[in-house]
Amino acid sequence: MRADRVIAVDLGGTKILAGVIDHDGRVHETVERPTVTTSQTALLDDLADVVRSLPHDGVGAVGFGIPSRIDHRTGIALGAVNIPLRDVPFRAEMERRLDLPIAVENDASCAAYAEFRHGAGQGVQNFVMLTLGTGVGGGVIAAGSLFQAWTELGHMVIVEDGEPCAGACSGRGHVEAYCSGRAADNLAKKLIGPSATAHDLVQDRHPVLERIGHHLGVAMGSLVNIFGAERIVVGGGFGVAAFDQLLPAARLAVLTEALAPAGQELEIECARLGASAGLIGAGLVAFEADA
Ligand SMILES: [Zn+2]
């Protein structure tokens, strides 16, 4: 069956956003509520409840974008930060509750896929999105298909033995430690004052953004060398706000780090779909589950 519509769910650490999505990636009815974090069962029940609360006319599948590593073969959610999901057969649990085909994908990959199909990634075949929010996430499209794998792009090493990563990551010198909104917040406190945030760096057009842009470009250079990315899109709250100020230094670093001619040819653009990218992408993977 080819459905006219699907229901998409974007599960975040603090809120659940769900909506009805059509073939063109348009978002229709939506519903939003706080994320239940009391237990895994309560969360799964609540997710099913959110889906049931939306109109089901013409709906053929449900797609979930979740902040977790996923075993795509089995549909198991391997573990999320701040949300009670660990080693749970997510796809099977949702199929049982909703009696519809279920797709499950990492949330950052969903956002990348949405930008590729309906946003700033249209027209190329090899595409990477980097999301600079509190942390750094990302997704890869290779030869026109979503690369369904690890893609923890924020934890790529760009400085050997560099700054430590925050949270559960034990690594050092990762992109996230230099280019995330949290990293920029910390720099703002150090350089401007204790109450300053990344927003103030952008507002002041602070020269430290050039250094962050350089780190970002070093990461992009490696992504070009590994995935042959023709275009890299920068999203996320901090990434979009600071994009224009990060771009010149990032562009220069790409020219140094990426092999010619890929470095010169790389297009770097700002994300277009905003906060709904994850929801739209969850809808797109649902259509593929239904196909
Ligand atoms: Zn890390």
Side-chain angles (χ1 to χ4, degrees), residues 154-156 165-166 169-172 174 176:
H155 299 277
M156 173 167 53
C165 244
C169 179
S170 62
R172 301 187 78 98
H174 295 181
E176 188 164 297

Side-chain angles (χ1 to χ4, degrees), residues 22-275:
D22 69 22
H23 273 290
D24 299 320
R26 277 190 301 256
V27 180
H28 297 271
E29 299 85 347
T30 58
V31 56
E32 194 182 312
R33 59 168 85 168
T35 303
V36 172
T37 54
T38 44
S39 76
Q40 187 158 280
T41 306
L43 174 60
L44 295 172
D45 286 343
D46 196 58
L47 286 169
D49 206 49
V50 171
V51 171
R52 285 190 207 103
S53 75
L54 284 161
H56 275 53
D57 317 328
V59 165
V62 184
F64 290 88
I66 66 175
S68 169
R69 295 175 284 122
I70 292 157
D71 181 331
H72 288 88
R73 195 174 47 82
T74 58
I76 291 175
L78 296 168
V81 182
N82 300 327
I83 293 179
L85 282 180
R86 183 159 298 276
D87 297 322
V88 58
F90 189 91
R91 193 166 62 211
E93 289 285 340
M94 284 305 165
E95 272 165 0
R96 189 167 63 75
R97 283 172 173 78
L98 295 167
D99 201 25
L100 279 166
I102 302 291
V104 56
E105 184 52 77
N106 172 268
D107 57 351
S109 289
C110 284
Y113 198 38
E115 287 287 348
F116 171 68
R117 291 274 299 273
H118 297 292
Q122 293 176 81
V124 294
Q125 285 292 298
N126 297 303
F127 168 77
V128 171
M129 179 167 173
L130 283 169
T131 306
L132 316 184
T134 309
V136 174
V140 175
I141 280 77
S145 297
L146 181 61
F147 186 58
Q148 293 183 309
W150 196 245
T151 61
E152 288 290 350
L153 306 184
H155 299 277
M156 173 167 53
V157 177
I158 50 171
V159 179
E160 188 181 3
D161 295 326
E163 296 290 329
C165 244
C169 179
S170 62
R172 301 187 78 98
H174 295 181
V175 183
E176 188 164 297
Y178 296 89
C179 302
S180 62
R182 193 197 291 122
D185 281 341
N186 291 339
L187 279 174
K189 284 181 193 12
K190 218 183 289 173
L191 297 168
I192 302 175
S195 62
T197 66
H199 178 78
D200 297 302
L201 295 180
V202 175
Q203 201 81 355
D204 295 357
R205 304 191 68 79
H206 199 287
V208 79
L209 290 169
E210 202 178 307
R211 207 164 82 211
I212 299 175
H214 174 78
H215 286 301
L216 185 64
V218 169
M220 289 175 169
S222 288
L223 292 168
V224 168
N225 290 338
I226 297 166
F227 295 110
E230 301 157 77
R231 188 181 300 152
I232 297 180
V233 161
V234 178
F238 174 62
V240 169
F243 180 79
D244 290 340
Q245 296 177 62
L246 299 176
L247 185 62
R251 165 64 63 195
L252 268 178
V254 167
L255 291 176
T256 307
E257 304 300 341
L259 291 185
Q264 285 89 332
E265 290 169 359
L266 177 73
E267 299 166 354
I268 305 172
E269 291 190 15
C270 192
R272 280 194 214 144
L273 299 180

